[in-house]
Amino acid sequence: MRDRFTRWLGLEGIVGPWPRGVTAAAAERALRDTHLLVLRPVATALAPIYAVVGVLHMVMQDGDARWVMGGLSTVNAALCLGLALALKAKRIPPDRAGVTVFALTTVMLAQSLVHAGLHPESALLALPVVIVLAASVFQPSLAFVLLFDAVAMAGWVVALRQTQHPLPP
């Protein structure tokens, strides 16, 4: 599947064959195990961060931004806490680890895109790009990387248009 997809994308010379002695199944197992190892601490760390950020949005902002960002941060805190507890209880099957990473990074992306759309400061507009670059490393496959990046860039363009900043050429 990987080789066919690599050829279809025209990445055959960029993405080389598996190293000698490494099978596709072994590489996928290693990636899945890495996802399982990283997911719980990341979700556990993000839950209180989003909770505190939600309170700060409610206290420091006014108008619609207060409710949108405060509510979104609270929902994201609950999602991250639920994910951490599900991982602790081993309720997420190992073969779903990659999809779970995709979901968690999408939550992070949504938070930053909404924030960038509500606040036109240029430093905040760069944050989704940084998240995309960092999160792309952890996606379970090239298809997920391309999907995540496409959604992220579309959201980023919408955020730029909302803030009346000129789009780059």
Side-chain angles (χ1 to χ4, degrees):
M1 173 72 179
R2 175 185 181 267
D3 294 331
R4 188 174 32 187
F5 192 66
T6 303
R7 277 194 299 275
W8 181 76
L9 289 173
L11 300 174
E12 204 163 12
I14 298 169
V15 180
W18 296 111
R20 181 173 297 180
V22 176
T23 64
E28 288 173 10
R29 262 193 318 278
L31 182 61
R32 183 195 66 218
D33 292 346
T34 302
H35 284 154
L36 287 173
L37 184 68
V38 170
L39 267 171
R40 186 170 159 211
V42 170
T44 302
L46 284 175
I49 290 171
Y50 279 132
V52 169
V53 167
V55 170
L56 290 174
H57 281 301
M58 296 301 287
V59 171
M60 297 175 69
Q61 293 185 350
D62 56 359
D64 290 341
R66 166 188 290 177
W67 298 107
V68 171
M69 290 308 301
L72 184 59
S73 296
T74 303
V75 168
N76 287 346
L79 288 172
C80 288
L81 178 62
L83 176 60
L85 292 173
L87 287 163
K88 183 177 180 180
K90 299 187 187 299
R91 292 195 176 161
I92 295 178
D95 63 333
R96 306 307 302 164
V99 174
T100 307
V101 166
F102 180 76
L104 181 62
T105 54
T106 302
V107 163
M108 295 168 53
L109 177 67
Q111 178 90 13
S112 66
L113 285 173
V114 170
H115 203 279
L118 290 172
H119 300 284
E121 295 84 18
S122 60
L124 292 175
L125 290 174
L127 185 60
V129 176
V130 172
I131 289 175
V132 166
L133 292 174
S136 292
V137 173
F138 298 104
Q139 298 306 324
S141 69
L142 183 58
F144 276 103
V145 169
L146 294 174
L147 175 63
F148 184 79
D149 291 355
V151 169
M153 290 302 110
W156 188 63
V157 168
V158 169
L160 281 175
R161 292 218 182 265
Q162 293 292 338
T163 60
Q164 304 303 317
H165 281 282
L167 289 174

